Every structure is written in C-alpha cells, then in structure tokens.
C-alpha cells in the first residue's frame, strides 16, 4: 500500500530535480529518499492512503506537477 509520505517524497524529488535537494527539503539524508523511492517499486498497483478522497489526492498531485512546471 502506497503511503502519503512515499508520494510526497517522489513529488519532492520531481520538484527539486535532485535527490540531494529533495533530502534537504525533507530534512533527511539522500539515502532515506532513495529507500522510499525503491519501496515504490514493489507494487505497481497501489491504493493511496492519507487523503480524504480521490479528489483530494488528484488535487495534490496536479498541484505538485504545476509547481514543477513553473521551474
């Protein structure tokens, strides 16, 4: 099952364009970011936890991509 923290980590890497920068923004070391990304590989079809509903999840994902596109 995909956890919200894993998705946030993934989005942070996309927005930051580097593992090191994402780790700094997440207040952790790069190896922790790498581990969370590797954990995503175990299941291709997952259920997202941590949002009220599918609309809230979609809104956060879209907002993340919009922030990345502005860079």
């Amino acid at each position: 099952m995909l956890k919200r923290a894993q998705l946030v980590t993934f989005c942070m890497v996309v927005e930051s364009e580097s593992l090191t920068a994402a780790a700094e923004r997440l207040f952790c070391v790069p190896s922790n970011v790498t581990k969370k990304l590797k954990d995503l590989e175990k299941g291709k079809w997952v259920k997202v936890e941590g949002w009220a509903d599918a609309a809230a999840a979609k809104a956060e994902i879209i907002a993340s991509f919009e922030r990345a596109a502005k860079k």
Side-chain angles (χ1 to χ4, degrees), residues 9-18 22 25 64-65 68 71:
T9 299
F10 175 80
C11 291
M12 192 66 69
V13 172
V14 171
E15 289 177 11
S16 301
E17 297 181 356
S18 93
R25 292 176 69 186
S64 175
F65 280 102
K71 288 188 171 187

Side-chain angles (χ1 to χ4, degrees), residues 9 22-24 26 33-34 42 49 51 53 56-57:
T9 299
E24 289 174 5
L26 292 166
V33 173
T34 302
K42 293 178 184 173
E49 292 182 333
W51 285 295
D53 58 19

Side-chain angles (χ1 to χ4, degrees), residues 2-70:
L2 178 66
K3 295 180 181 161
R4 186 176 186 278
Q6 291 171 313
L7 186 56
V8 168
T9 299
F10 175 80
C11 291
M12 192 66 69
V13 172
V14 171
E15 289 177 11
S16 301
E17 297 181 356
S18 93
L19 289 172
T20 303
E24 289 174 5
R25 292 176 69 186
L26 292 166
F27 304 103
C28 66
V29 295
S31 61
N32 290 357
V33 173
T34 302
K35 182 183 180 328
K36 285 183 182 178
L37 294 178
K38 286 184 179 180
D39 288 345
L40 294 175
E41 296 174 9
K42 293 178 184 173
K44 302 299 182 202
W45 302 99
V46 296
K47 179 179 177 185
V48 177
E49 292 182 333
W51 285 295
D53 58 19
K58 181 178 179 181
E60 187 165 338
I61 292 168
I62 289 171
S64 175
F65 280 102
E66 289 172 349
R67 286 190 304 272
K70 289 180 182 177

